Amino acid sequence: MSAPIPRCRPRQVDADLQAELSRRGADAVLARFLAGRLTQPVDVAQTLAPGLGDLPNPDAIPDMGRAVARICRAIREQEKIVFAVDHDMDGQASAAVLWTAFTGHFGVAADRLSVVSSHRLREGYGITAPVVARIRELNPGLVISADKGSSDEARIADLKAAGIDVIVTDHHAVPAEGPPASAYACVNPTREDSGFDPTVCGAAVAFFCMARVRTALLEEGYCKSIPPLTPLLDYVAVATIADCVSLRPDTGAVNRTLVHHGLRRLNAQLRPCWQVFCESREGAPVDSQTVGFQLAPAVAAAGRLDWADVGFDFLTAGGRESAARLWNTLLEENQERKAVEKRVREAAIAVVDAGPLPSAIAVFLADGHSGVHGITASRLVERYGRPAAVFAPRGRGAREDDVAAEAATDGGEPLISGSFRSIPELHMRDALQRIDDAEPGLLVGFGGHAGAAGATLREADFVRFAAVFDTVCASMLTGVDLRPCQWVDGALEPAEISLHTVDSFARLDPWGRDFPLPQFAGRFQVESVRALGDGTHLKFGLSTPGGEQHEAIWFNAREDADAPLPLAVGESCDLIYRLQDNVWRGVRRLQLQVVCTADAWDGAVPNPAGVASESGSAVR
């Protein structure tokens, strides 16, 4: 079974919304574009330049006041405090937020603080039993979790029994039974009793908590002045982008504000880590795509393959020399991660292609690698257009104690762990909850949110789980066309294919979840083609029906250098493309980035004026 042929769909443009956005100050291109992306009008000026003063009051997050009071007491009484954080980019950035707030703003001595990052392969996600053991060895009075903890009642109860208070700061979905009862406080905007934006990431929750701690310390006269915490928004920005939370203007305004201001601070290069990273880019500004595809994968790579601490150490490095050394280590880890990911991805695709295609994919790889299962599941979603999960023996891939890690058991039965990724039409954690309700005991543990989740089960139960997973997801996806989809923002007029349009869209950065990069349809004739790099990337000379000439690049246009060219000189074709600039030796030029070819689109590109039909077209 090969992957289904993708469908190409134009976004519907709401003419009334387009007119309203124009009235509010959006230029013609942006008004048309946003009217195909949003469901309600937005403040155009605030969307393009969001202000920190527009952020909502974080006191709307449940337990915020209780958590702040307990943290202030711990600071006053000089208690030992442990930050228990996740092993991904969001977790490490959360640790950087907490550590820098305590040491650089609240005046807490570093020897009173410890960071415990869970080992992805050997300890798993959350406040697991091994994490509890390491925390108890440190003997703190208080634990503050970040980016995890909402589903860890049993282990939090163990810490409470040992006389250790636990404050959970998290953004993952709360279990059906509610927040962990043994936690001193659970600061989580996804709680049912929350009045705060539930789309923010873990580092953002930690930041808002620290901001309220600063206010409380000042109000109680703990010290005369405390520097503002806004410099910590650089950490929040990279975490927000990396964790794939909503960045759509009408649903993710808080996230867009945090990223907008955080990227400004990152580009100011006030920390050694940013100085080193920006130097590697030869002075080019850092935007959301730079973070998502260059910075975040490297910082997260260490936690995917082994201990995550080097990512935290890089983010909080005190000097350029140490930051450069740590960055080089992260780059090496990322190269290894890419090789591992390629191997696992090819194995997973082979398994799926060997059988009939279900509504929801579940793959078990005995020689997989838990550190790259989330990425692999995402690739399966992109290829097949349906929810996907990738499993391997729990801990598989750990560099140390490999045998012990792979032999993780539940009552003597081998355990396997899986990473899940979803499509917009299905809430993944809700699906796992339905499975747990229908088949109690099948899942040893699970957690997550709408787009991503994780679960553990007994290896002997995998076949049964795969069947139940398919059945539950199929019932939730009734009527959904389960194919990969390329959404297109209509077509551009010839005069709009310009650097001016590139600059207009640049003002809408950040791009990410729920707000992907713009892409358009257009008819072109191929004037020239040549291979780049290893031969899989191609550069084209294109011309429009009106005679305008454009340069274009198509990354990964073919499997290898010996494969046939997808387009021939002289051929006329419909292309899906993005606009970008290309700077070479100080000269800035327009460049089209080809995404794919459209086999047909009613014989032409969609109506440039706006409202296109819902009919799809095959994409090769």
Side-chain angles (χ1 to χ4, degrees):
M1 171 70 71
S2 59
I5 297 174
R7 54 198 167 111
C8 198
R9 297 184 62 185
R11 299 181 190 276
Q12 291 288 338
V13 176
D14 184 323
D16 292 337
L17 180 55
Q18 180 179 348
E20 176 61 21
L21 291 167
S22 295
R23 189 187 68 78
R24 295 188 180 201
D27 65 33
V29 175
L30 291 188
R32 190 171 75 235
F33 169 79
L34 290 172
R37 297 290 192 101
L38 312 182
T39 57
Q40 56 187 342
V42 293
D43 184 319
V44 173
Q46 202 273 340
T47 296
L48 298 177
L52 291 174
D54 296 319
L55 289 172
N57 188 338
D59 286 343
I61 306 176
D63 280 2
M64 179 65 81
R66 180 172 171 82
V68 167
R70 180 65 182 87
I71 293 170
C72 288
R73 173 157 65 89
I75 292 173
R76 287 194 312 270
E77 298 179 5
Q78 299 184 32
E79 293 182 54
K80 291 183 67 176
I81 301 172
V82 167
F83 306 135
V85 301
D86 194 20
H87 37 58
D88 66 0
M89 177 79 238
D90 191 11
Q92 296 307 293
S94 298
V97 167
L98 294 170
W99 181 273
T100 309
F102 272 76
T103 60
H105 296 258
F106 306 154
V108 177
D111 62 6
R112 308 302 300 169
L113 307 171
S114 299
V115 175
V116 172
S117 299
S118 52
H119 193 291
R120 180 190 294 261
L121 305 179
R122 288 194 277 159
E123 298 178 334
Y125 170 77
I127 303 177
T128 59
V131 171
V132 168
R134 290 201 284 132
I135 290 173
R136 292 188 63 173
E137 288 178 0
L138 294 167
N139 193 31
L142 177 66
V143 170
I144 303 174
S145 81
D147 194 32
K148 65 180 183 182
S150 295
S151 300
D152 296 318
E153 160 58 24
R155 274 75 62 194
I156 293 173
D158 290 342
L159 290 170
K160 181 179 180 180
I164 302 170
D165 287 337
V166 178
I167 291 175
V168 172
T169 73
D170 192 12
H171 72 125
H172 292 94
V174 175
E177 59 270 22
S182 297
Y184 188 91
C186 180
V187 184
N188 187 331
T190 69
R191 288 176 49 165
E192 290 185 356
D193 52 343
S194 172
F196 198 81
D197 183 347
T199 71
V200 295
C201 72
V205 178
F207 170 80
F208 285 123
C209 187
M210 293 301 98
R212 301 303 292 131
V213 168
R214 174 182 179 269
T215 299
L217 290 174
L218 288 171
E219 289 177 347
E220 67 183 36
Y222 176 74
C223 50
K224 292 182 179 179
S225 65
I226 301 175
L229 296 186
T230 48
L232 302 183
L233 288 175
D234 52 0
Y235 295 141
V236 178
V238 298
T240 299
I241 295 167
D243 220 48
C244 298
V245 293
S246 178
L247 288 170
R248 208 174 90 177
D250 57 347
T251 58
V254 172
N255 289 329
R256 293 183 60 81
T257 300
L258 296 173
V259 173
H260 177 85
H261 289 274
L263 287 180
R264 289 175 58 187
R265 285 164 172 78
L266 191 159
N267 280 292
Q269 302 180 37
L270 301 179
R271 300 189 198 279
C273 59
W274 308 142
Q275 294 167 15
V276 169
F277 177 68
C278 290
E279 183 180 83
S280 71
R281 291 183 41 75
E282 300 180 350
V286 175
D287 59 15
S288 60
Q289 299 303 290
T290 311
V291 172
F293 291 98
Q294 296 181 33
L295 175 66
V299 174
R304 292 189 180 280
L305 302 180
D306 205 4
W307 294 104
D309 306 59
V310 65
F312 167 75
D313 292 341
F314 168 71
L315 293 174
T316 58
R320 264 191 99 269
E321 184 177 343
S322 60
R325 174 177 50 79
L326 291 161
W327 177 243
N328 287 332
T329 299
L330 290 171
L331 290 178
E332 292 171 2
E333 296 274 2
N334 199 36
Q335 285 302 115
E336 182 179 348
R337 187 271 305 171
K338 289 179 181 179
V340 172
E341 179 192 338
K342 182 175 184 293
R343 174 181 66 79
V344 173
R345 181 178 68 251
E346 291 174 348
I349 289 173
V351 171
V352 178
D353 286 349
L357 193 59
S359 297
I361 296 166
V363 174
F364 171 61
L365 301 174
D367 61 346
H369 192 296
S370 301
V372 300
H373 282 177
I375 299 174
T376 304
S378 294
R379 297 296 175 262
L380 295 181
V381 172
E382 293 168 3
R383 180 179 176 88
Y384 300 101
R386 55 204 65 209
V390 181
F391 283 83
R394 186 169 180 176
R396 180 70 174 88
R399 289 172 176 165
E400 303 173 11
D401 302 329
D402 220 23
V403 174
E406 292 171 29
T409 63
D410 176 52
E413 296 187 59
L415 292 175
I416 60 175
S417 61
S419 293
F420 296 71
R421 294 296 182 268
S422 194
I423 58 176
E425 295 86 352
L426 183 135
H427 191 296
M428 184 56 75
R429 196 198 177 282
D430 286 355
L432 293 179
Q433 185 65 57
R434 290 195 186 191
I435 292 172
D436 192 51
D437 292 341
E439 300 279 347
L442 177 58
L443 295 173
V444 175
F446 69 95
H449 43 77
T456 300
L457 58 141
R458 289 168 287 274
E459 183 177 339
D461 289 336
F462 173 74
V463 173
R464 181 161 67 101
F465 168 80
V468 175
F469 181 53
D470 182 35
T471 299
V472 167
C473 290
S475 69
M476 297 173 70
L477 293 169
T478 301
V480 176
D481 186 358
L482 295 176
R483 284 187 293 160
C485 180
Q486 286 286 349
W487 285 96
V488 176
D489 298 289
L492 293 173
E493 298 281 8
E496 294 173 338
I497 305 177
S498 65
L499 285 173
H500 175 74
T501 302
V502 171
D503 293 337
S504 291
F505 282 118
R507 298 172 66 199
L508 281 175
D509 193 68
W511 307 98
R513 184 175 177 84
D514 295 336
F515 201 59
L517 285 166
Q519 51 189 39
F520 307 95
R523 173 155 290 177
F524 301 91
Q525 179 167 306
V526 181
E527 303 295 341
S528 64
V529 58
R530 64 184 177 90
L532 298 177
D534 62 3
T536 62
H537 314 307
L538 301 176
K539 188 167 186 178
F540 296 92
L542 302 175
S543 63
T544 68
E548 295 87 357
Q549 303 290 313
H550 297 291
E551 294 181 352
I553 191 166
W554 189 349
F555 295 110
N556 302 308
R558 51 184 180 171
E559 291 291 333
D560 55 61
D562 298 324
L565 293 172
L567 298 174
V569 173
E571 181 179 355
S572 182
C573 56
D574 288 340
L575 297 177
I576 310 304
Y577 67 94
R578 297 170 182 162
L579 288 182
Q580 61 185 32
D581 60 0
N582 181 31
V583 180
W584 176 249
R585 294 181 176 176
V587 178
R588 183 176 182 237
R589 293 187 177 88
L590 177 71
Q591 180 172 264
L592 278 57
Q593 181 182 335
V594 177
V595 177
C596 58
T597 60
D599 289 331
W601 197 311
D602 300 328
V605 298
N607 176 10
V611 182
S613 71
E614 281 288 353
S615 60
S617 68
V619 179
R620 68 170 183 261

